[in-house]
Structure formats: structure tokens, C-alpha cells
Amino acid sequence: MARDIPTEKRPRRALTPSEPEGKLVVLFSRIDLDGPWCLTKISQTDHRNLLSRIQSFETMTVREAFNHGEEPGKDYAIEDLPSKAARKRLEELTFDDRDHISRLRIGNLGRLYGFREGARFYALWWDPEHEIWPTKK
């Protein structure tokens, strides 16, 4: 007696639920593994907060996350980047030919910097001390 064996299992929860197009996606394929703002230097507490915020960001559309210079995301012209060390590191990584760098606010001080292309945010740096683009306060 032959039994019908299902060829495809159906998971209880879909990894990619049907949501409107344009949701922000955070990718780590361009992360800087060696520089002063390397994500491998993150504290356990900051790591947990970062992952929690990324979960939150990925429920937002790009417009919601980057709403005309308001929080949580902002875009900056690389030519205006105040940190000489950050500009030098961009040169070393050959990302200095880009016009803009973006950042996501993770907490009070913590920032995740990267590049946006469409709905994708390519994470580059973890800045826990707000050194890359310090506030003028």
C-alpha cells in the first residue's frame, strides 16, 4: 500500500509575508570588518538593541524610515562628512565615489551607517559613540 508523501511542507509562518512593496531591507554584504567602526566590536547589549531595531525597520517602508531627514533614517552628502577618519576609510574601501551615505538611528547614540539603493540598506559601519557624524549640540 503506497502512501502519498507530500513533496512540499508548509511552514506555520512565512519568512516573507505578503506585504506592500518598498519595505526596507537591511543587508550586511558590504559591512566593514576591519575599520574603527567595525560591527564585530559591538557590545552584547548594543547587539541586541541593533537586532531589535532592524526587525522594526524591516516592517517600515523606505519612506517611513527615511522621511525627509527625520528620524530614524537620514541621508548625508559624503562631501559634507565631518569626520576625516570616516572619509579616509571610505577611500580605503573604495566607496568614496558615492554621493550619499545613510544612517539609521539605533538608540540614543548608536548609529548604523551604510548605503541605500532602492529599498535596500547596505550596512557598513556601527557607530556607538556618534563619531562619524557628531551632533552640533
Side-chain angles (χ1 to χ4, degrees):
M1 179 183 339
R3 291 196 291 168
D4 289 336
I5 299 174
T7 57
E8 183 179 321
K9 282 187 166 184
R10 293 191 178 194
R12 287 183 292 279
R13 285 187 352 175
L15 292 176
T16 309
S18 58
E19 295 175 341
E21 291 293 316
K23 293 288 184 179
L24 185 66
V25 177
V26 179
L27 302 165
F28 291 90
S29 58
R30 303 295 184 264
I31 200 80
D32 182 359
L33 294 174
D34 298 313
W37 303 286
C38 175
L39 193 57
T40 61
K41 299 175 184 176
I42 194 168
S43 73
Q44 187 173 4
T45 300
D46 284 348
H47 191 202
R48 181 174 178 76
N49 291 337
L50 174 64
L51 294 177
S52 176
R53 288 293 286 159
I54 288 172
Q55 283 180 323
S56 173
F57 294 142
E58 289 187 341
T59 68
M60 298 178 183
T61 63
V62 174
R63 181 175 282 162
E64 290 169 334
F66 290 88
N67 187 15
H68 309 292
E70 298 298 321
E71 300 299 342
K74 289 188 178 183
D75 299 307
Y76 299 110
I78 287 180
E79 67 184 27
D80 297 335
L81 188 61
S83 169
K84 290 180 183 178
R87 275 190 265 138
K88 183 174 191 281
R89 187 64 183 154
L90 285 174
E91 288 176 26
E92 292 167 358
L93 297 169
T94 66
F95 287 131
D96 58 314
D97 61 344
R98 297 190 163 264
D99 293 330
H100 294 89
I101 191 165
S102 302
R103 69 100 173 125
L104 291 167
R105 182 179 180 163
I106 304 305
N108 191 30
L109 287 176
R111 305 290 188 265
L112 185 65
Y113 281 86
F115 301 104
R116 281 198 309 132
E117 288 184 357
R120 296 177 178 183
F121 178 89
Y122 292 92
L124 179 67
W125 292 324
W126 167 245
D127 182 11
E129 300 298 326
H130 215 175
E131 298 171 329
I132 295 170
W133 209 289
T135 59
K136 297 177 182 178
K137 294 180 183 178

